[in-house]
Amino acid sequence: MTNAEIFNPLILTSVTPIIGVIILFLIPSVNEVWCQVLALWVVCLTFIFSLLLWIQFESNSSFFQFYQVFLWFPSLNFYYSIGVDGISLFFIILTTFLSIICILVSWSSVKTFLKDYLICFLILEFILIQVFCVLDLLLFYIFFESVLIPMFLIIGVWGSRERKIRAAYQFFLYTLIGSLFMLLALISIYFTTGSTDIQILWQYHFSEFKQILLWLAFFASFAVKIPMIPFHIWLPEAHAEAPTAGSVILAGILLKLGGYGFLRFSLPMFPSASIYFMPLVFTLSLVAIIYASLTTLRQIDLKKIIAYSSISHMGFVTIGIFSLNIQGIEGSILLMLSHGLVSSALFLCVGLLYDRYKTRIIKYYSGLVQVMPIFGIFFLFFSFANIGFPGTGSFIGELLVLIGAFQINTALTFFATIGVILGAAYSIWLFNRVNFGVLKLQYFDCFQDISRREFWILCPLVLIVLWMGIYPVVFLNEIHFSVINLIQQLV
């Protein structure tokens, strides 16, 4: 490696978590504080390196930047190539940022196998960064599936309730089975083109019939990850049983892998099939928006309420992606980023309540604003951000998605807007039931507002959500040329 390669910020961002894992293996398990401090330093350093990507990123280019190619299996034409464009840049930064949140929120709540828990999260961070930067379809599939292993362990070992093993297996099997179709499509693509380099595959013209078959195979994998209805059954269970940090990374990053896959592979590689299946995607998206919103209104578990609301928001994302215009796609990317922050914050708020009172059943909570006023302010802000209130990133994302959808079909936009109304209903009703009303002293004998550590975890999330809502041009400038390049490939 040359010095330029070693100090490439993408290389540094990629290898830092793995170096942290190796050092953690060498530290005795009894030194739990050392393990925590080391893990925190590693994720903070990784985040700093990811910010260097943004600082050095050239926003007026649609090409992959920080590009590196390494020999892997040259005889089979397999190469480990990595690079970043405007579409993947902020997903990497979001991953590294939420990894810090996950380590901090677990600081005092994880009591067993702490070292193994930290190793799982550092491995998961490494895999997710690779998913967003590898430019080889085979490697993407390997990392895309490798996410299941640490997440399976996080839910199954450190989950909060008795059904955690069932939820872990459900998550693992649903997403694995869906991705097997993608593996078959990958093998077919390799034998057809002789390459798995996505920059070569983007230039290859598959027949329309083959595009349809391949698109369906990729759709089976990505639709489960988003998840789209009817492939959503695993998500509420996984969220309900996962520890707080597991829910944060699941809602913040893992739900975005499907949308990223559509943008990176389905649209540019199979443009004719993407246009052909637009009505199917729009129909499933509308069902997700309305059905998930109505289901959210009936939930009694706080985590399941947020989980079902995530399914509804992902319906807006898929509408934006398959509107196949600049406004829709940029809006979907911005909405994914904003949702990654807002849903993570809501899961943090629920986790704070569970750590104190050991229940997530909503009937036990009422009038908390009387004894937890600071918590109430944070919960109010993120509830309104979840609605897509003006001034938050979700508003800009949903607005651009609806503008993009309006250019395709006005009826589609009308029915999607119903989801916005239902979103306001379940978010405001949730906040009202938890924070207002009579304080139920018969269930809890003591109350504690958020701690200093929890305050400083939630504060950056508030500031970034406001930044995205008040001055989104900073983010859209980086995304714009990559989205234009994607649209040109569809023509």
Side-chain angles (χ1 to χ4, degrees):
M1 270 194 184
T2 64
N3 287 336
E5 290 174 335
I6 293 173
F7 293 105
N8 181 332
L10 185 55
I11 299 290
L12 295 173
T13 306
S14 298
V15 302
T16 304
I18 288 298
I19 294 172
V21 169
I22 295 170
I23 299 173
L24 270 176
F25 270 117
L26 301 176
I27 298 177
S29 299
V30 292
N31 296 331
E32 291 187 347
V33 175
W34 280 98
C35 291
Q36 286 181 309
V37 171
L38 174 67
L40 182 60
W41 273 102
V42 168
V43 293
C44 288
L45 196 59
T46 309
F47 177 61
I48 291 170
F49 289 144
S50 69
L51 289 180
L52 291 178
L53 288 173
W54 190 2
I55 293 169
Q56 298 180 22
F57 189 82
E58 296 181 13
S59 59
N60 58 352
S61 171
S62 63
F63 296 105
F64 286 105
Q65 302 178 39
F66 314 104
Y67 184 75
Q68 293 290 336
V69 181
F70 303 96
L71 294 178
W72 189 35
F73 285 112
S75 60
L76 296 175
N77 205 18
F78 292 144
Y79 297 89
Y80 174 68
S81 55
I82 56 175
V84 172
D85 68 350
I87 294 173
S88 57
L89 172 66
F90 290 114
F91 287 111
I92 293 174
I93 295 173
L94 181 65
T95 301
T96 58
F97 175 70
L98 289 183
S99 295
I100 300 175
I101 301 293
C102 289
I103 299 298
L104 287 174
V105 79
S106 309
W107 201 262
S108 58
S109 59
V110 176
K111 306 294 184 184
T112 58
F113 307 114
L114 178 62
K115 176 181 169 181
D116 305 288
Y117 177 85
L118 297 171
I119 287 172
C120 276
F121 265 100
L122 290 182
I123 292 174
L124 184 58
E125 181 183 28
F126 166 76
I127 294 170
L128 289 169
I129 291 169
Q130 296 306 299
V131 167
F132 293 124
C133 72
V134 292
L135 304 181
D136 184 275
L137 181 57
L138 176 61
L139 283 168
F140 173 83
Y141 176 80
I142 291 171
F143 289 118
F144 188 76
E145 288 304 286
S146 299
V147 168
L148 300 180
I149 300 170
M151 200 65 215
F152 173 81
L153 294 173
I154 288 168
I155 296 172
V157 177
W158 294 280
S160 55
R161 301 193 303 191
E162 295 177 357
R163 289 164 58 92
K164 61 185 181 181
I165 302 297
R166 181 178 181 273
Y169 275 108
Q170 197 173 33
F171 161 75
F172 188 90
L173 293 174
Y174 257 80
T175 50
L176 178 65
I177 292 170
S179 297
L180 289 178
F181 293 99
M182 181 179 169
L183 177 60
L184 296 174
L186 190 157
I187 295 170
S188 173
I189 289 171
Y190 175 71
F191 282 109
T192 301
T193 64
S195 175
T196 53
D197 188 318
I198 65 171
Q199 297 183 87
I200 295 174
L201 298 179
W202 284 354
Q203 306 304 319
Y204 191 90
H205 297 287
F206 297 95
S207 66
E208 289 193 9
F209 178 71
K210 191 155 191 177
Q211 280 194 41
I212 288 173
L213 294 178
L214 294 173
W215 189 95
L216 286 171
F218 277 74
F219 178 77
S221 178
F222 298 147
V224 171
K225 275 286 200 300
I226 284 182
M228 297 179 73
I229 288 176
F231 313 107
H232 69 292
I233 302 300
W234 64 269
L235 180 67
E237 282 294 316
H239 270 308
E241 306 305 324
T244 301
S247 292
V248 168
I249 209 73
L250 184 59
I253 306 297
L254 265 65
L255 297 192
K256 313 304 178 287
L257 297 184
Y260 177 78
F262 282 135
L263 292 168
R264 183 63 82 220
F265 299 101
S266 298
L267 266 60
M269 286 169 55
F270 319 122
S272 298
S274 297
I275 295 170
Y276 179 80
F277 284 111
M278 274 175 62
L280 171 66
V281 175
F282 287 156
T283 302
L284 292 176
S285 300
L286 287 177
V287 170
I289 290 170
I290 296 173
Y291 171 79
S293 296
L294 293 173
T295 308
T296 303
L297 289 166
R298 292 185 55 81
Q299 298 304 306
I300 60 171
D301 185 298
L302 289 170
K303 270 195 172 183
K304 287 190 175 182
I305 291 173
I306 303 167
Y308 275 106
S309 75
S310 295
I311 297 172
S312 177
H313 283 96
M314 289 299 104
F316 281 99
V317 168
T318 47
I319 285 177
I321 291 171
F322 282 88
S323 64
L324 306 183
N325 53 50
I326 294 173
Q327 292 84 2
I329 294 176
E330 288 186 355
S332 67
I333 295 171
L334 202 64
L335 184 57
M336 281 192 279
L337 297 172
S338 177
H339 177 267
L341 297 168
V342 173
S343 63
S344 297
L346 287 171
F347 278 115
L348 287 172
C349 290
V350 173
L352 302 185
L353 294 179
Y354 184 79
D355 287 343
R356 285 159 172 75
Y357 312 119
K358 305 305 177 187
T359 182
R360 292 194 299 266
I361 305 303
I362 197 167
K363 73 173 184 179
Y364 295 110
Y365 294 104
S366 181
L368 288 186
V369 74
Q370 301 172 42
V371 289
M372 301 176 67
I374 301 175
F375 169 83
I377 292 170
F378 279 114
F379 198 50
L380 175 66
F381 175 82
F382 291 119
S383 296
F384 272 71
N386 199 42
I387 297 170
F389 197 76
T392 64
S394 298
F395 171 75
I396 303 297
E398 288 184 4
L399 178 64
L400 288 173
V401 165
L402 292 174
I403 290 172
F406 191 82
Q407 298 175 41
I408 302 296
N409 191 310
T410 53
L412 169 70
T413 313
F414 171 77
F415 285 110
T417 308
I418 294 175
V420 177
I421 300 169
L422 292 172
Y426 63 67
S427 295
I428 293 173
W429 192 32
L430 170 64
F431 176 80
N432 182 61
R433 286 186 289 173
V434 170
N435 286 277
F436 296 141
V438 179
L439 193 63
K440 296 182 178 179
L441 297 173
Q442 67 270 31
Y443 296 127
F444 311 116
D445 55 1
C446 64
F447 297 90
Q448 177 192 351
D449 209 342
I450 65 174
S451 65
R452 185 181 291 107
R453 174 176 59 87
E454 293 160 348
F455 179 85
W456 290 113
I457 289 173
L458 291 171
C459 262
L461 293 167
V462 172
L463 296 176
I464 298 171
V465 170
L466 286 173
W467 183 17
M468 293 179 69
I470 295 171
Y471 198 63
V473 69
V474 174
F475 302 89
L476 294 174
N477 279 345
E478 314 293 350
I479 297 168
H480 187 66
F481 282 94
S482 296
V483 171
I484 289 177
N485 183 49
L486 176 60
I487 297 293
Q488 289 173 347
Q489 293 177 62
L490 293 169
V491 177

